Amino acid sequence: MHAHPQAAAQDHQSDPKQAIATLLRAGRNEEAEARAGEWARAHPDDAFGFAVLGSLRLARGLAQDALESLARAADLAPHAAEVQVNYGLALAETGDNAAALSRYAKALALAPGFLPALTNQGAALEALGRPGEALASYDAALALCPEHAKALYNRGNALRELGRLEEALASYDRALAVAADYAFAHTGRGLVLADLGRAHAAEAAARQALALAPDLPQALDLLAGCLLARHADPLEAMAWIERSLDRGEGLEAKRLFVACAARLPAGALAGRLAPRLARALAEPWDRPERLAPAAARVLELDPATGPCLARAVAAWPGEIEPQALFGPQGPAVLGENALLLALLESGPVCALPLERFCTLARRALLALAVPAGPQARTDPASLRFFAALAVQCHINEYAFAVTETEERQAAVLAASLAAPDAPAIALLAAACYLPLAGLPDAAALARRPWPEAVAGVLEAQVRRVLTERTFRETMPQLTPIVNEVSLRVRRQYEEHPYPRWARTAPADAPQSLDAFLARRFPRAPYAPLGERDRLDVLVAGCGSGRHTLETARRYRGARVLAVDLSRASLAYAKRKAREAGADNVTFAQADILALAGLDRTFDFIESSGVLHHLADPWAGWRTLVGLLRPGGVMRLGFYSALARRDIPRARVMLHVKGYNATTSSLRRCRQELLSLPEGDPLRRLLLQDVFTISGCRDLFFHVSEQTLVLPQIEEFLSQHGLCFLGFDIEPEILDDYERRFRDDPAATNLANWHVYEMEHQDTFLEMYQFWVQKRSG
C-alpha cells in the first residue's frame, strides 16, 4: 500500500510545491514527476522532491529507480512515517524484505497506528516465511480498520500458508463483502476451495476473478488447474495456461503446462507449442519424465526427426547406412532441433522408436568416426546432436543394444583419444559407448580445448564423475554395515546407483510442512506441528538424491540428514545437491537397521522404496518410528504384492534364459523385454525403469525384495500409534475411490483401500506411497 506522495510535503505554502500537489490531485503524474525532479535537483536538502519522485516511480513499478530517491528522502525526513513506508516498499519490491521490515518498524515507532505500515509489514513477514507474525500484523491493522479489504485478503494468504484453510476462506469472504470487485480476493478464495477439494466452486471463483481482471496470472493458473482436475478438455486448459505464460512465466503456470501437455495428443503439441515444450524439458519446468513421453510423440510427427525414427524402426534390428538413416540433410538438421536435444539431455529416453533411432545413430556415428583422421571436421550442428546423444548414453548407463564389433571399435577409438590432435567426432563416438572418466588420461582430456558441444560432454562424463569420486572417498559413516542382506544391497547400489536422473523440478518458495499437508490431505486427521524455525528431517535411504533435494527445498526451515548404504549413490546425491545450492543437507553412510543408536530425533522422516529391501522391513520401520518425535510425520513407500504379482514370473523367465545382473547381460535382457508382444502381461511392467541399466536391475534382478499388502500395513500402524493421513496417488484414482466409498471422504480407510486394490490390482503399480503421523503421547 503506497502512502500518498504529497503527504511528505513539508512546506505547503511554497508555490512550486503547491503546483506539484495540484498536479497529483488532478492525476497528472507524469508532469508531477518532472516537476518533482526539478525541485529535487534545485533543493537537494529538501525531502519533498525526493519523496514525490520516488513514490511516483514506485507506483509505476520502477522500484529500483525509486530506491535512491526514497533513501535520500528518508534521510532528510527521518520523522515522516509515510516516507519510511514508501522506502520500505521499494526495498521489498527489489527483494530486500529484511531491510523493508526495519523501515516499517521505524514508521510504526513514529506512528503506532499507521495502517500502511502494519499491512506492508505483514506482507514482508510473509515473504520472509514468517506467516504467524504476518497474521499478527494484519490482525493489528484490522483492529484499527475492520473493513480494510487488503488487510483481510492478506490475512487470508497468511492463514492459507499456515494451513488454516477454513479460516483463510472466511477471511477472503470478508474481504469480498467489503470489496466485491477485488479480483485477488476471488482468486485467493478459489485457491483455498481447490485445496479443500471443492473444484467446481474453485473454478467459479477463478472465472469471477478473470471477469474483473482478465490477465491476472494467478486466476488464469487457478482456472487451468481446475479444468485439469475435473478432466475437462486439455486444449481449453492449455489456452488459459498460454495466456498466463504470455503474461509472466510463473512456476505454477510452467507446472500446469507440463501437466496439460502430457494429456494432449501429439498433433496438438507439434508446431506452435513445440518451442515451449523444448524449454519445459531443458530448463526444466517440472520433472522431465512427466513430459518426455509427449515430447517423444511430437518428434515422431516432426518433419525432420519423424522420418529418421521411422527409418530406424523399419530397419531394426538390421543395418542401415548413415546417409539412409539421417536422410539427405544429414545429422546437422537434428542438431538444430531444440526439442530433440532437450529430450536427450534431460533424462533417460523412454520411447522405443526414439531408442531404436538413437541406437542406430550411435552406430552411424561410430562408422563416421573410425576412419576419421586428425584433420576430420564436423559441422557444429552435427556435433550438437552427437554430443546430446553421448549425454543420453551416459544417463542411461550405456543401455542401448551393442554388437561385439562396435565394442571393439569403440575401445580402439577411446585409446586413440590420447593423441593430442584427436578429432571431436572421435571423442563423441567413444563417449557414446563407454564412460570417459574411466580412461587413464580422463582429467587431461577434459583440460584440452574442444568445441562447445564437446565441452558439455566432458563436464558430464569427466568433471562431475571425478567430483563424485572425491565425495565418495570422504563420505562419513554413521553406523557399521554388518547385516548380510544390507551388505548385498549396498554392493548392488555401489555398482549401479539408482535411480538415474539429470534434472529435477524447480523449487517454489519454501512452505511449512503443516501447510503442505493441509493442502495435500484437507480432510485427514492431521494434528499440525505448529510454527517452528527448524524442521529436522531424516531421509532414510536417499539413493541418488532427487527426492532428498526436492524435500530440502520444499519445506521451510528444513535441516536434512540423508543416509544410504551406498557411497556411490550418496556421492551422486551430494554432487547434485551442491550444484543446486542446497546447503541444508548432510549426507552420510548408514544402515537403517543400525540407526537406533543415533542420538537424534526428527520431526519428519522419509523412507520411500527402501524398507522392503531390508532383511526385516518391519524391524527397519520400528527403528524409524523410534527416531520420530511425538506428533512427527512419516512418508513411506512399499512394494505392493498385488501390483507386482507378475514380477516373480518375469524373474524366473529371465533366469531360465540365462540372464543375470551384469551390465552386458542387462543390455541383452532389456532387448528381450522391449520385444515382448502387445498382449503379454509383462508389458505393463515396462515402466521408465527398464530404460536404464540400474533401473532394469532394480526391477528384475534385485538382491533382496519383499512385498506387502495393505492389511499388514494397517496392523503395523495400529500397533505403533501411527495415524494414516493418505496416499500419494493420481487424482483420477482418488476420484474413483471416493465415488466407490462415499462414506470415507478423507480416503483414509485402509480396509476400503484393500477392497479397492483387490478390484483394481494395478492401482499401486509403482508403490504404496503414503503419509502417517505419530500420535502424541
Side-chain angles (χ1 to χ4, degrees):
M1 178 182 217
H2 292 231
H4 197 287
Q6 71 173 347
Q10 295 175 336
D11 181 4
H12 294 289
Q13 305 307 311
S14 171
D15 286 344
K17 292 184 179 180
Q18 291 284 17
I20 293 171
T22 300
L23 290 170
L24 289 170
R25 284 193 295 271
R28 294 159 63 182
N29 288 357
E30 191 174 336
E31 294 174 65
E33 186 174 336
R35 293 279 191 91
E38 293 171 4
W39 183 265
R41 286 188 293 275
H43 302 84
D45 294 326
D46 187 344
F48 176 83
F50 295 105
V52 173
L53 187 63
S55 299
L56 288 171
R57 287 176 175 170
L58 187 60
R60 287 200 289 130
L62 304 174
Q64 194 64 51
D65 293 341
L67 267 179
E68 185 177 349
S69 296
L70 289 170
R72 179 72 175 154
D75 286 343
L76 293 169
H79 302 296
E82 302 91 340
V83 172
Q84 298 297 331
V85 168
N86 280 346
Y87 185 26
L89 275 167
L91 289 164
E93 289 290 325
T94 54
D96 195 349
N97 284 288
L101 272 183
S102 69
R103 292 294 162 176
Y104 302 143
K106 188 167 186 178
L108 287 168
L110 294 165
F114 191 41
L115 207 58
L118 287 169
T119 54
N120 287 305
Q121 175 180 261
L125 287 165
E126 273 191 82
L128 290 168
R130 295 154 64 182
E133 294 172 72
L135 182 62
S137 194
Y138 297 138
D139 284 342
L142 289 165
L144 297 168
C145 182
E147 304 300 300
H148 195 290
K150 184 171 183 181
L152 287 165
Y153 163 71
N154 285 346
R155 184 174 184 273
N157 293 343
L159 287 164
R160 181 173 183 250
E161 175 58 23
L162 288 166
R164 294 158 61 179
L165 301 182
E166 293 290 354
E167 293 176 77
L169 187 62
S171 196
Y172 292 130
D173 285 341
R174 283 179 59 195
L176 290 168
V178 175
D181 60 349
Y182 198 168
F184 281 98
H186 281 291
T187 304
R189 183 174 184 274
L191 289 168
V192 171
L193 289 166
D195 292 338
L196 291 168
R198 295 159 62 181
H200 289 287
E203 182 178 335
R207 293 189 185 278
Q208 285 177 290
L210 290 169
L212 296 164
D215 293 330
L216 185 60
Q218 297 95 319
L220 292 166
D221 296 343
L222 173 61
L223 179 54
C226 290
L227 292 170
L228 290 174
R230 66 176 179 84
H231 317 300
D233 181 1
L235 281 173
E236 181 187 358
M238 183 59 84
W240 295 107
I241 294 165
E242 286 190 276
R243 279 182 61 178
S244 179
L245 289 169
D246 288 342
R247 282 150 185 80
E249 294 186 340
L251 286 181
E252 182 63 16
K254 290 178 177 180
R255 271 193 292 269
L256 288 166
F257 176 88
V258 172
C260 192
R263 301 185 188 186
L264 285 171
L269 291 169
R272 180 176 53 81
L273 287 176
R276 269 193 173 137
L277 200 62
R279 285 189 53 215
L281 278 167
E283 292 185 4
W285 290 4
D286 206 329
R287 283 193 172 189
E289 63 266 26
R290 291 174 181 157
L291 197 55
R297 295 195 303 271
V298 171
L299 289 174
E300 292 178 36
L301 297 181
D302 185 90
T305 59
C308 294
L309 271 62
R311 287 191 289 267
V313 171
W316 189 265
E319 298 292 331
I320 184 171
E321 291 296 318
Q323 186 174 356
L325 177 65
F326 296 127
Q329 298 183 75
V333 69
L334 302 173
E336 301 290 353
N337 190 304
L339 181 59
L340 174 62
L341 300 182
L343 184 55
L344 292 177
E345 294 173 347
S346 61
V349 162
C350 298
L352 193 54
L354 185 55
E355 174 169 331
R356 297 303 191 217
F357 168 69
C358 287
T359 305
L360 295 179
R362 180 176 72 164
R363 195 174 298 171
L365 169 60
L366 189 62
L368 293 171
V370 167
Q375 302 307 312
R377 292 290 181 267
T378 306
D379 62 274
S382 294
L383 280 183
R384 282 197 297 274
F385 166 64
F386 291 135
L389 181 59
V391 170
Q392 171 60 212
C393 293
H394 182 65
I395 289 172
N396 68 36
E397 302 157 301
Y398 307 94
F400 295 153
V402 61
T403 66
E404 291 182 4
T405 300
E406 286 176 90
E407 288 182 315
R408 285 195 302 270
Q409 290 176 328
V412 170
L413 208 56
S416 75
L417 298 178
D421 54 356
I425 191 172
L427 183 140
L428 293 178
C432 283
Y433 285 92
L434 47 87
L436 296 180
L439 298 179
D441 55 348
L445 193 67
R447 289 193 294 269
R448 289 191 218 164
W450 295 98
E452 182 180 353
V454 179
V457 173
L458 288 165
E459 177 66 27
Q461 290 206 22
V462 177
R463 295 188 185 91
R464 292 173 185 167
V465 176
L466 294 179
T467 298
E468 287 175 34
R469 287 180 186 171
T470 301
F471 289 158
R472 183 173 179 171
E473 292 164 2
T474 58
M475 187 65 60
Q477 185 175 26
L478 289 184
T479 73
I481 302 171
V482 295
N483 181 274
E484 183 181 345
V485 171
S486 297
L487 289 168
R488 296 208 317 267
V489 172
R490 181 185 67 175
R491 188 177 308 115
Q492 172 175 332
Y493 290 124
E494 295 290 10
E495 293 170 359
H496 292 115
Y498 172 83
R500 297 292 295 185
W501 60 282
R503 297 169 183 164
T504 195
D508 277 318
Q511 60 183 307
S512 69
L513 181 61
D514 284 347
F516 177 83
L517 289 173
R519 295 172 192 169
R520 179 64 66 92
F521 306 115
R523 301 186 188 95
Y526 173 63
L529 296 175
E531 271 207 275
R532 55 190 62 206
D533 295 329
R534 178 186 176 109
L535 184 76
D536 290 314
V537 180
L538 171 65
V539 180
C542 67
S544 55
R546 174 187 262 187
H547 198 80
T548 300
L549 176 57
E550 292 174 345
T551 295
R553 298 191 296 180
R554 177 180 295 134
Y555 303 114
R556 186 184 312 122
R559 292 294 179 269
V560 182
L561 171 62
V563 301
D564 199 87
L565 291 168
S566 161
R567 287 177 179 266
S569 299
L570 287 161
Y572 189 94
K574 183 173 180 177
R575 174 179 65 80
K576 297 296 282 187
R578 180 76 59 88
E579 290 170 358
D583 57 1
N584 59 333
V585 188
T586 301
F587 294 95
Q589 187 182 36
D591 186 348
I592 293 171
L593 293 172
L595 278 177
L598 190 65
D599 190 23
R600 288 180 63 179
T601 56
F602 300 88
D603 303 300
F604 177 33
I605 296 177
E606 287 192 306
S607 189
S608 182
V610 178
L611 295 176
H612 50 228
H613 293 311
L614 299 181
D616 184 349
W618 307 107
W621 195 356
R622 282 192 295 273
T623 296
L624 296 181
V625 171
L627 297 174
L628 188 65
R629 293 168 184 161
V633 174
M634 277 185 166
R635 180 180 183 270
L636 298 145
F638 292 98
Y639 284 146
S640 159
L642 289 172
R644 294 175 74 86
R645 62 195 177 277
D646 288 325
I647 290 283
R649 180 172 74 85
R651 288 175 173 158
V652 169
M653 179 196 79
L654 296 172
H655 176 73
V656 167
K657 289 177 176 287
Y659 294 115
N660 57 45
T662 63
T663 298
S664 60
S665 182
L666 287 166
R667 283 199 196 101
R668 297 192 304 275
C669 170
R670 287 187 66 253
Q671 295 306 314
E672 175 140 353
L673 292 168
L674 292 172
S675 300
L676 288 171
E678 287 293 337
D680 194 304
L682 288 182
R683 283 190 66 87
R684 70 186 182 85
L685 300 174
L686 303 185
L687 306 172
Q688 180 181 347
D689 279 355
V690 83
F691 289 91
T692 66
I693 292 295
S694 60
C696 191
R697 180 175 182 180
D698 198 80
L699 184 59
F700 293 111
F701 296 93
H702 205 287
V703 296
S704 174
E705 179 179 305
Q706 302 186 46
T707 57
L708 312 179
V709 290
L710 288 175
Q712 292 175 292
I713 292 173
E714 184 176 29
E715 182 180 1
F716 185 94
L717 299 182
S718 175
Q719 291 174 349
H720 293 84
L722 299 173
C723 177
F724 184 76
L725 300 178
F727 287 109
D728 282 335
I729 201 163
E730 292 83 355
E732 296 84 355
I733 295 176
L734 185 59
D735 290 345
D736 191 49
Y737 171 89
E738 290 174 348
R739 286 190 292 270
R740 174 76 170 78
F741 298 99
R742 296 187 182 277
D743 61 342
D744 181 24
T748 55
N749 186 316
L750 285 176
N752 286 351
W753 273 109
H754 180 56
V755 172
Y756 185 89
E757 189 185 12
M758 293 292 289
E759 296 170 350
H760 309 278
Q761 295 193 4
D762 287 347
T763 299
F764 300 100
L765 186 56
E766 293 193 10
M767 262 186 289
Y768 298 124
Q769 298 264 17
F770 59 94
W771 297 73
V772 299
Q773 184 172 29
K774 188 175 185 179
R775 294 185 178 92
S776 296

